Amino acid sequence: MLAHLRLPILIMLLIQAASAEDNPWRDRVPEAVARAQDEPSRLTLRKGFDVTWRADDWVAGLKLAELAQRELPDDEQLYGDVARALWRAGQILAAEDVLKRIPERTRDPVALRTIAGAQLARGEIDAAGKTAKKLKLLRKPTAEDLYVIFTVQLAANEFAGAADLLRRAEELTDAENGYPENFVEEAIDGVAEFLDAIGTEPLNRIAAHGRADMPALVLLNLPACDVMINGHGPYRLIVDTGGSIMVALDQVVADEIGLKSVATASVRGVSGTTESGQALIDDLQIGSIRCKRVVSRIFDVRGAIMNAADGIVGTGIFSEGRMTLDWANAQLVVSPSKTEPGPGTAVDVRLVGDAKLLSPVTIEGQPAVALLDSGADAVALAPSRLKTLFPDEPMQEFSTGIGIGVGTGEMPKITLGSGVRLEFGGRTFENYSGLGLDVLDNTLGPVLGVQCDILLGMPTFREMRSITVDFPRCEMWVDWLNRE
């Protein structure tokens, strides 16, 4: 029943730290939803959408989206709210269908923010830039508007004025406004100071394409490479598709090589939040691959992973090129982006947040979203999805002792339930996982703004010869091993 369950569970997932304190909007959801259901008008639906969004009650938001599509399917003033609710609930393809119907003339900030996010997720950076310009022209931009504009600049690797933009967002942010402002303040804390310190030149530049050996760590069974940092090393770093657009480096290593923090920030992993320094690596060499001006976070990485490695390479640092994780030959390959397809089967992918790899999949015949995380030696489902699929089945929950990963102060809650039928990349997995991980519901979904139903870690990657991601083109291919 619990295929691929291994204890301890190691997940190296890294995201910008954020927290959701008691949200004052949650108590308003039942009344707002009931009113919309009793009298489904544009007014009641928009009010309901606003309340469920600020409360981050994506389940209630999805119900309203379905209601609006059923009762007022041609009301274009609701399209932005409907698309946003669908996107947050993980209904990516359905949201994109609604977004196509939004008139280009729209000045609805909800629609514009959602359009920009979807464009970034598909790698349409220029189009997202045009959408961001419309947001800039709004009379009174909110903290959320400014944060979206910043994320577009970040994706375009353009930083002129970015620090001031973040400071304006900080001034406008008020947790009393609910989601996502209750996340924004902590997520951007220290970033403006970091940008001031490093200047406006582009970050995470690929100076030389190439390849590097990528054996599995003996203790953790995760992929890792030997890395030279500013000419020092080699150091062993985990290669993590869930590890963001940065290199996470242990504090001792930073001290050894003289890498100085220029600002502070927080990072969140599966085990909670930890304080970190922010630094810039001038020269990063991984085999014959070479990167310049690489964003780095400095904290006690070794302590978080039982001293198995010195840090983590987030594969988002290769966003200028094409990356192949060649499992058959244990190599990391970084090459130029190109039109030719990679080896294997083309798989739909979205690059969300800090270059997280999300893919539309099917679970038990229903549309869902998978997060691909090579820093996880587990396959895990969102408990919310398990409960929806198996409402009458009792599930065991564990709150301590079986999670290992970045962060302190929290332990992930693990739920044990039935395995599921997963369809991903042209392959079907029967009775898969059965392990629930609350981080998907409580942390990852809110921060990324997309509900992730299943995390696919190394048990899934080990069934591949290779996986290739062309970041600029937002394309992905999986070359599966033959099943006996």
Side-chain angles (χ1 to χ4, degrees), residues 174-255:
D174 185 351
E176 291 298 312
N177 291 330
Y179 181 81
E181 290 188 36
N182 54 349
F183 283 88
V184 167
E185 184 174 8
E186 189 174 345
I188 65 178
D189 183 40
V191 178
E193 289 77 9
F194 175 69
L195 294 176
D196 282 337
I198 66 171
T200 59
E201 293 181 26
L203 302 172
N204 295 342
R205 306 308 305 264
I206 299 175
H209 301 96
R211 62 184 59 230
D213 291 336
M214 189 180 64
L217 291 172
V218 174
L219 180 60
L220 301 181
N221 208 18
L222 300 178
C225 291
D226 285 341
V227 176
M228 299 292 293
I229 303 169
N230 291 343
H232 301 277
Y235 295 100
R236 182 64 55 89
L237 272 62
I238 294 170
V239 179
D240 186 4
T241 60
S244 186
I245 54 174
M246 63 186 180
V247 168
L249 200 61
D250 188 78
Q251 182 66 62
V252 173
V253 173
D255 292 341

Side-chain angles (χ1 to χ4, degrees), residues 144-434:
E144 188 177 0
D145 296 328
L146 296 174
Y147 187 59
V148 170
I149 294 168
F150 169 74
T151 61
V152 173
Q153 285 194 230
L154 179 65
N157 227 337
E158 298 174 355
F159 297 102
D164 290 338
L165 193 66
L166 288 177
R167 289 191 180 93
R168 288 174 58 202
E170 288 175 338
E171 291 174 356
L172 293 173
T173 297
D174 185 351
E176 291 298 312
N177 291 330
Y179 181 81
E181 290 188 36
N182 54 349
F183 283 88
V184 167
E185 184 174 8
E186 189 174 345
I188 65 178
D189 183 40
V191 178
E193 289 77 9
F194 175 69
L195 294 176
D196 282 337
I198 66 171
T200 59
E201 293 181 26
L203 302 172
N204 295 342
R205 306 308 305 264
I206 299 175
H209 301 96
R211 62 184 59 230
D213 291 336
M214 189 180 64
L217 291 172
V218 174
L219 180 60
L220 301 181
N221 208 18
L222 300 178
C225 291
D226 285 341
V227 176
M228 299 292 293
I229 303 169
N230 291 343
H232 301 277
Y235 295 100
R236 182 64 55 89
L237 272 62
I238 294 170
V239 179
D240 186 4
T241 60
S244 186
I245 54 174
M246 63 186 180
V247 168
L249 200 61
D250 188 78
Q251 182 66 62
V252 173
V253 173
D255 292 341
E256 288 176 354
I257 66 177
L259 185 65
K260 301 298 184 181
S261 172
V262 296
T264 60
S266 297
V267 291
R268 176 175 287 273
V270 70
S271 297
T273 302
T274 189
E275 292 301 311
S276 77
Q278 298 184 79
L280 192 66
I281 295 173
D282 295 321
D283 183 76
L284 183 76
Q285 290 183 267
I286 312 172
S288 56
I289 305 162
R290 195 164 190 171
C291 299
K292 299 288 189 179
R293 286 179 59 83
V294 178
V295 178
S296 178
R297 293 287 176 88
I298 301 170
F299 57 96
D300 182 19
V301 181
R302 287 175 176 171
I305 56 175
M306 303 181 296
N307 292 307
D310 303 306
I312 303 164
V313 173
T315 56
I317 71 169
F318 306 126
S319 61
E320 289 186 339
R322 175 177 290 199
M323 174 194 73
T324 297
L325 303 179
D326 184 348
W327 307 112
N329 297 297
Q331 286 202 323
L332 165 67
V333 182
V334 176
S335 57
S337 173
K338 55 187 176 181
T339 58
E340 290 80 7
T345 302
V347 179
D348 210 8
V349 69
R350 301 292 183 275
L351 301 172
V352 177
D354 49 359
K356 298 289 189 290
L357 304 179
L358 303 189
S359 181
V361 299
T362 300
I363 296 176
E364 293 289 313
Q366 301 176 15
V369 172
L371 166 71
L372 280 67
D373 185 6
S374 63
D377 196 17
V379 172
L381 289 138
S384 61
R385 178 51 69 119
L386 276 175
K387 291 175 183 177
T388 301
L389 293 173
F390 310 108
D392 300 323
E393 180 178 303
M395 298 181 187
Q396 293 178 282
E397 185 176 276
F398 302 84
S399 59
T400 59
I402 62 174
I404 301 173
V406 172
T408 59
E410 300 174 23
M411 288 301 296
K413 291 184 180 179
I414 308 296
T415 304
L416 301 183
S418 293
V420 298
R421 187 175 191 266
L422 169 71
E423 297 174 62
F424 164 62
R427 177 162 287 199
T428 300
F429 301 83
E430 300 286 356
N431 195 29
Y432 209 49
S433 187

Side-chain angles (χ1 to χ4, degrees), residues 37 40 45 63-74 82:
Q37 290 173 329
L45 281 164
K63 290 179 181 178
L64 291 182
E66 293 169 344
L67 176 64
Q69 289 180 304
R70 185 170 61 251
E71 299 293 335
L72 298 169
D74 298 319
V82 169

